[in-house]
Amino acid sequence: MTTSDTIPTHALDIEKIRKDFPILQTKVYGKPLVYFDNAATTQKPLPVLKSLEEYYKTYNSNVHRGVHFLSQQATDAYEQARKKVAAYINAAYDHEIIFTKGTTNSINLVASSFGRTFLTSGDEVLISGMEHHSNIVPWQLICEQRNASLKVIPVDDNGELIMDAFEKLLTDKVKIVAVTYVSNTLGTVNPVRDIIGRAHAKNIPVLLDAAQAIQHMPVDVQELDVDFIAFSSHKMYGPTGIGILYGKENWLNEIPPYEGGGDMIKNVTFAKTTYNELPFKFEAGTPDMSGAIALGAAIDYIQQTGINNMQHAEEELIAYAYDKLSAIPSLRFIGNAKHRAGAISFLVGNIHPFDMGEILDKQGIAVRTGHHCTQPLMERFNIPGTVRASFSVYNTREEVDELIKGIAKAKKMLE
Ligand code: PMP
């Protein structure tokens, strides 16, 4: 734990933090931008932007292949970034960190490579009713190929997983459990320790989709004892196009490569190819070097701010927003989980979420509307979509007040 982790929440100077994010100065329709679409992607602080610029200006070169100076500099920085990710999630080994294109890519890798190795006819994959499409469709694809079936842990009216049903679904047929740590639509924080504990009691591995957890709370893979986790850089203040798959060493050794190409091989002949060691076995082709290095800069930024401080500040802001939104007549929350992070979803009267989104947009307030890539969850609640406000460390109470005013205006116009 760093010293900054022990500083109480109020020690975070949010105005100072906001100055690190140049985009927050943007005006939208002449109004100050209020950015509440952080679950879709977060904004980027100056050190991340600087890292990208520096990479291309001073040491752009392909990694792992050159003996020349720049290639070695790029390789060192790229591998340093891997170490930063490993330290951030407390992985036992750096080679358990695989650079991918993002959460979607990471989950597809596991579904394909694990599925081809361990799934056979009659087996089951267990996911939950609140998964993002990227933790549904890759499993459907592999289940179809392997003649296996997909089972779903149901969600209750509060937007929480029904754990008794989970227990019943967790039979010997299940070969892997893949669930989200935090729901991108409802903000529900799932009881992942309990899920992992129960699955491991039956020797079933667990993949966590941590796309909405990694930027809001400390994630310690050894303490969780999780087998695989997936997350995206762009949702944790880093650039787009890069993400992480963490896998326990033994699992990564047991599953085959996902893609073939340069860097992932030890020796190639037309008769047979042998594969490189971890983590390169899973990193075919030229990786997103600048992206990985800038993700390292994003992790430095989070570490300097202190993830615990960020979590406390965000929890306070969400509680404030929840309180203020509760006072709006005809507003109903979609999802009322006891433990939540990041996002609040709601509907107001009969106002269509798109109409609400448009009116808020005209006031400079960016929220997301629609199904948030969770169509089965929308079906569960029997709604076409929600309005989702999602928060980050740089959001303020004043911005929440703007949102409340915006909703009042939309109500006046549309109800
Ligand atoms: N899972 C969750 C919970 C998400 O919120 C998202 C992004 N909305 C994804 C997966 C997919 O992430 P990406 O598009 O960065 O691959």
Side-chain angles (χ1 to χ4, degrees):
M1 195 182 268
T2 60
T3 13
S4 60
D5 282 320
T6 52
I7 299 169
T9 303
H10 60 263
L12 272 193
D13 182 346
I14 304 296
E15 282 313 315
K16 185 163 168 279
I17 287 174
R18 286 178 70 80
K19 291 202 176 87
D20 292 333
F21 293 82
I23 206 170
L24 297 178
Q25 304 309 314
T26 301
K27 293 261 187 328
V28 176
Y29 306 111
K31 310 223 162 64
L33 167 70
V34 174
Y35 188 76
F36 283 148
D37 195 18
N38 293 288
T41 198
T42 57
Q43 301 303 347
K44 320 302 171 200
L46 286 166
V48 169
L49 303 176
K50 195 168 152 233
S51 158
L52 288 169
E53 193 182 352
E54 230 172 57
Y55 172 81
Y56 284 113
K57 274 189 172 165
T58 64
Y59 62 102
N60 172 47
S61 183
N62 212 329
V63 290
H64 298 147
R65 287 172 208 162
V67 288
H68 65 79
F69 183 84
L70 285 192
S71 177
Q72 286 190 8
Q73 199 181 348
T75 303
D76 285 351
Y78 181 74
E79 291 305 324
Q80 193 57 37
R82 194 189 309 275
K83 284 187 198 304
K84 287 179 187 179
V85 177
Y88 183 59
I89 62 172
N90 193 29
Y93 308 106
D94 298 344
H95 58 253
E96 293 176 318
I97 304 298
I98 313 294
F99 284 117
T100 66
K101 288 188 282 184
T103 309
T104 305
N105 189 216
S106 299
I107 297 173
N108 273 280
L109 188 164
V110 178
S112 171
S113 293
F114 181 94
R116 280 184 283 138
T117 316
F118 293 108
L119 285 183
T120 54
S121 184
D123 286 344
E124 292 176 357
V125 171
L126 187 53
I127 62 168
S128 92
M130 64 173 82
E131 298 310 313
H132 188 281
H133 295 163
S134 62
N135 200 26
I136 302 174
V137 187
W139 298 109
Q140 284 175 324
L141 288 169
I142 194 70
C143 281
E144 211 172 292
Q145 282 173 34
R146 306 300 296 174
N147 202 21
S149 31
L150 193 64
K151 296 284 164 158
V152 182
I153 309 163
V155 173
D156 70 14
D157 289 342
N158 286 328
E160 294 180 325
L161 295 181
I162 303 176
M163 292 300 280
D164 289 347
F166 169 59
E167 191 62 44
K168 291 201 182 87
L169 286 163
L170 200 63
T171 66
D172 292 344
K173 286 186 182 166
V174 176
K175 292 294 172 290
I176 189 164
V177 175
V179 290
T180 195
Y181 197 147
V182 176
S183 160
N184 64 308
T185 301
L186 310 175
T188 308
V189 180
N190 284 320
V192 294
R193 280 174 189 77
D194 192 11
I195 290 171
I196 293 165
R198 292 196 210 190
H200 282 182
K202 298 189 171 177
N203 290 322
I204 302 167
V206 177
L207 174 143
L208 286 184
D209 173 349
Q212 300 294 345
I214 198 75
Q215 67 286 54
H216 297 305
M217 59 192 67
V219 174
D220 180 328
V221 293
Q222 292 193 71
E223 190 247 319
L224 287 169
D225 197 22
V226 64
D227 302 283
F228 299 101
I229 68 167
F231 52 92
S232 301
S233 149
H234 72 96
K235 292 178 194 287
M236 56 187 301
Y237 311 102
T240 54
I242 184 102
I244 298 297
L245 171 67
Y246 158 84
K248 276 187 189 162
E249 184 187 45
N250 64 324
W251 282 117
L252 294 177
N253 277 327
E254 281 200 47
I255 64 177
Y258 176 49
E259 293 177 318
D263 244 20
M264 53 75 73
I265 54 92
K266 203 167 250 162
N267 190 53
V268 179
T269 68
F270 287 122
K272 186 169 171 56
T273 291
T274 49
Y275 307 128
N276 206 340
E277 59 204 18
L278 294 176
F280 311 112
K281 170 180 151 187
F282 291 105
E283 293 181 2
T286 299
D288 180 358
M289 286 94 65
S290 63
I293 295 163
L295 167 60
I299 288 175
D300 288 342
Y301 186 84
I302 294 173
Q303 303 274 41
Q304 279 153 19
T305 313
I307 187 68
N308 290 317
N309 294 331
M310 294 165 84
Q311 182 180 23
H312 293 155
E314 289 174 20
E315 278 175 356
E316 276 187 6
L317 189 69
I318 287 209
Y320 179 79
Y322 200 76
D323 230 41
K324 290 274 168 174
L325 288 165
S326 302
I328 296 176
S330 81
L331 183 144
R332 71 184 162 110
F333 294 105
I334 309 299
N336 267 307
K338 282 184 284 295
H339 193 189
R340 65 193 309 153
I344 299 181
S345 258
F346 59 89
L347 288 169
V348 181
N350 294 325
I351 301 175
H352 196 282
F354 291 116
D355 296 334
M356 175 63 80
E358 271 195 11
I359 291 177
L360 291 175
D361 174 53
K362 293 290 175 302
Q363 293 160 79
I365 303 164
V367 293
R368 188 143 293 234
T369 62
H371 55 65
H372 317 296
C373 296
T374 54
Q375 281 181 346
L377 184 65
M378 297 295 94
E379 202 177 310
R380 155 70 182 81
F381 282 98
N382 206 15
I383 51 175
T386 75
V387 181
R388 182 188 71 185
S390 55
F391 305 93
S392 179
V393 70
Y394 44 66
N395 289 127
T396 64
R397 289 182 178 213
E398 291 71 30
E399 289 182 313
V400 171
D401 295 341
E402 287 305 311
L403 173 67
I404 303 298
K405 274 193 235 157
I407 295 171
K409 190 165 178 183
K411 267 169 71 77
K412 227 184 239 168
M413 289 168 71
L414 298 172
E415 258 188 347

